[in-house]
């Protein structure tokens, strides 16, 4: 039943998206885009590359804390492949995480369970800090988002603060017979091991949390730089709430990379904040291009460069 509802939701969202686009005056949209100063786009591209380097630093830091033998450059290459898979995977972007886990296992000389646990650990930190920032900055959000965030935060807090207790209980459990369930069981145990080690490393835990919060704050900062040209009165708190709400909606597994849901949500929220529809759409389109399409093209370019380097090494050039 749920599967059928999911597929029914796709054409509904498509129709709503097409309707929303049809309501935008194209000439007004072009005029809105032309309001953006010429220097801002390369500045946003640079900002996005810097953001991605900090994300890579987070991955590299996690790899060091969990014992994987990965250099910053190796992790950057793994992440480039992960971003490409993320871009074609609906919603939660599981494809990118699977790609990262496989490449971490091969490159970092760790077991598959440990590689999967490392990916889960990064996702855990990213989701936890995303909701932390959202709850602080999102005073104007609907109560439903708080109701969604609080159980997730509660589950994350449990994993963060009592991993040893959960690990002990899972170890005493009867081993599952099904291969898939057994594999998931081992991955969870490996994740709890990593969490327990990290919990004992207070400095590493604090640094990783602060780094994750800083990375998330870079996203509304980019939108704020863009949105202020259309409405300088909008506050950074409003922009932060809008940015994170759009990203949460984008996690719904409907379209690759959250396309459609993200754009529609951000445009609607900007309009509700007082923007003209064409200005809201222009800000959303440019922001999405910088954070999604440009990042995809940049990652493909980096993968191409790595392929050329590998080819030259094989030929002895």
């Amino acid at each position: 039943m749920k599967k059928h509802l999911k597929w029914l939701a796709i054409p509904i969202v498509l129709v709503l998206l097409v309707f929303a686009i049809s309501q935008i005056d194209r000439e007004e949209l072009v005029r809105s885009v032309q309001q953006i100063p010429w220097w801002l786009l390369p500045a946003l591209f640079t900002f996005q590359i810097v953001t991605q380097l900090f994300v890579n630093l987070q991955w590299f830091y996690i790899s060091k804390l969990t014992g994987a033998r990965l250099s910053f450059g190796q992790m950057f290459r793994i992440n480039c492949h992960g971003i490409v898979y993320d871009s074609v995977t609906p919603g939660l972007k599981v494809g990118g995480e699977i790609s990262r886990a496989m490449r971490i296992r091969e490159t970092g000389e760790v077991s598959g369970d440990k590689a999967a646990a490392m990916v889960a650990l990064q996702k855990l930190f990213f989701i936890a800090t995303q909701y932390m920032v959202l709850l602080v900055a999102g005073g104007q959000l609907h109560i439903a988002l708080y109701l969604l965030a609080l159980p997730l935060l509660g589950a994350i807090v449990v994993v963060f603060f009592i991993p040893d207790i959960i690990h002990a209980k899972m170890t005493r459990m009867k081993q599952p017979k099904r291969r898939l369930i057994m594999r998931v069981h081992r991955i969870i145990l490996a994740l709890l091991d990593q969490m327990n080690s990290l919990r004992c490393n207070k400095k590493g835990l604090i640094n990783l949390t602060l780094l994750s919060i800083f990375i998330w704050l870079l996203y509304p900062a980019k939108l704020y730089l863009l949105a202020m040209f259309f409405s300088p009165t909008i506050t950074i708190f409003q922009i932060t709430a809008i940015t994170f709400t759009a990203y949460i909606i984008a996690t719904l597994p409907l379209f690759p990379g959250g396309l459609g849901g993200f754009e529609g949500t951000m445009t609607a929220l900007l309009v509700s904040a007082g923007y003209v529809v064409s200005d809201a759409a222009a800000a959303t389109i440019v922001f999405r291009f910088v954070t999604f399409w440009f990042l995809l093209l940049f990652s493909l370019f980096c993968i191409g460069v790595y392929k050329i380097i590998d080819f030259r090494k094989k030929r002895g050039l």
Side-chain angles (χ1 to χ4, degrees):
M1 184 66 180
K2 288 182 180 178
K3 199 172 183 181
H4 293 305
L5 286 173
K6 173 186 169 181
W7 288 110
L8 182 63
I10 293 176
I12 292 172
V13 174
L14 270 175
V15 169
L16 290 173
L17 191 60
V18 170
F19 176 75
I21 293 170
S22 67
Q23 299 304 301
I24 301 171
D25 188 312
R26 290 176 187 173
E27 291 184 5
E28 287 292 328
L29 181 61
V30 170
R31 268 198 291 270
S32 295
V33 172
Q34 288 174 342
Q35 290 181 46
I36 302 169
W38 66 268
W39 55 265
L40 185 60
L41 205 56
L44 289 172
F45 288 156
T46 305
F47 205 163
Q48 183 59 40
I49 292 172
V50 170
T51 303
Q52 198 51 40
L53 289 174
F54 273 108
V55 172
N56 197 74
L57 178 63
Q58 182 199 44
W59 277 102
F60 173 64
Y61 194 63
I62 288 174
S63 73
K64 281 184 67 178
L65 291 172
T66 54
R69 298 176 182 177
L70 290 165
S71 67
F72 186 86
Q74 287 173 325
M75 198 64 245
F76 184 79
R77 184 171 186 171
I78 290 169
N79 264 323
C80 286
H81 285 276
I83 289 166
V84 174
Y85 280 100
D86 281 343
S87 303
V88 297
T89 307
L92 294 172
K93 306 180 181 182
V94 179
E97 310 309 344
I98 293 172
S99 167
R100 288 183 179 95
M102 291 174 64
R103 292 176 185 277
I104 287 169
R105 183 191 64 186
E106 294 168 3
T107 313
E109 299 177 9
V110 295
S111 67
D113 296 338
K114 193 170 183 178
M118 178 181 157
V119 171
L121 182 64
Q122 191 274 343
K123 201 75 172 176
L124 191 67
F125 266 93
F126 231 41
I127 293 172
T129 49
Q130 179 188 28
Y131 277 102
M132 283 167 61
V133 176
L134 178 65
L135 291 172
V136 171
Q140 303 176 55
L141 294 180
H142 194 275
I143 187 79
L145 280 173
Y146 287 104
L147 293 175
L148 174 67
L150 290 174
L152 284 171
L153 277 177
I156 290 166
V157 166
V158 167
V159 176
F160 265 95
F161 289 100
I162 54 171
D164 47 348
I165 298 172
I166 302 172
H167 187 280
K169 287 189 176 182
M170 288 192 68
T171 306
R172 289 196 297 267
M173 284 172 58
K174 188 178 179 181
Q175 287 293 319
K177 293 181 180 179
R178 290 187 182 180
R179 193 170 179 181
L180 179 61
I181 298 174
M182 189 184 297
R183 183 69 188 275
V184 172
H185 186 267
R186 289 204 308 265
I187 291 170
I188 293 173
L189 285 175
L191 173 62
L192 293 170
D193 274 334
Q194 291 180 2
M195 284 302 308
N196 202 32
S197 300
L198 188 58
R199 194 173 60 122
C200 298
N201 184 353
K202 295 289 191 292
K203 184 179 177 182
L205 183 61
I206 292 169
N207 289 341
L208 194 52
T209 303
L210 291 176
L211 180 59
S212 300
I213 292 172
F214 175 72
I215 291 167
W216 270 120
L217 289 175
L218 292 176
Y219 286 91
K222 286 192 282 282
L223 182 60
Y224 185 69
L225 282 176
L226 184 59
M228 61 186 280
F229 286 98
F230 299 108
S231 176
T233 58
I234 195 164
T235 67
I236 188 65
F237 290 100
Q238 287 176 298
I239 286 294
T240 303
I242 289 168
T243 306
F244 283 104
T245 305
Y247 272 111
I248 289 169
I249 298 300
T251 60
L252 297 176
L254 294 176
F255 302 106
L259 290 172
F262 180 93
E263 289 81 357
T265 303
M266 180 168 281
T267 301
L269 289 173
L270 285 171
V271 170
S272 70
Y275 281 73
V276 177
V277 175
S278 58
D279 290 349
T284 299
I285 290 168
V286 174
F287 179 79
R288 191 59 161 164
F289 180 78
V290 171
T291 58
F292 183 85
W293 296 108
F294 169 73
L295 185 59
L296 174 60
L297 293 172
F298 177 73
S299 299
L300 288 169
F301 170 77
C302 291
I303 290 170
V305 171
Y306 279 121
K307 292 284 186 187
I308 292 169
I309 292 171
D310 289 343
F311 178 77
R312 289 174 67 86
K313 282 182 179 178
K314 285 180 181 178
R315 292 297 183 96
L317 299 174

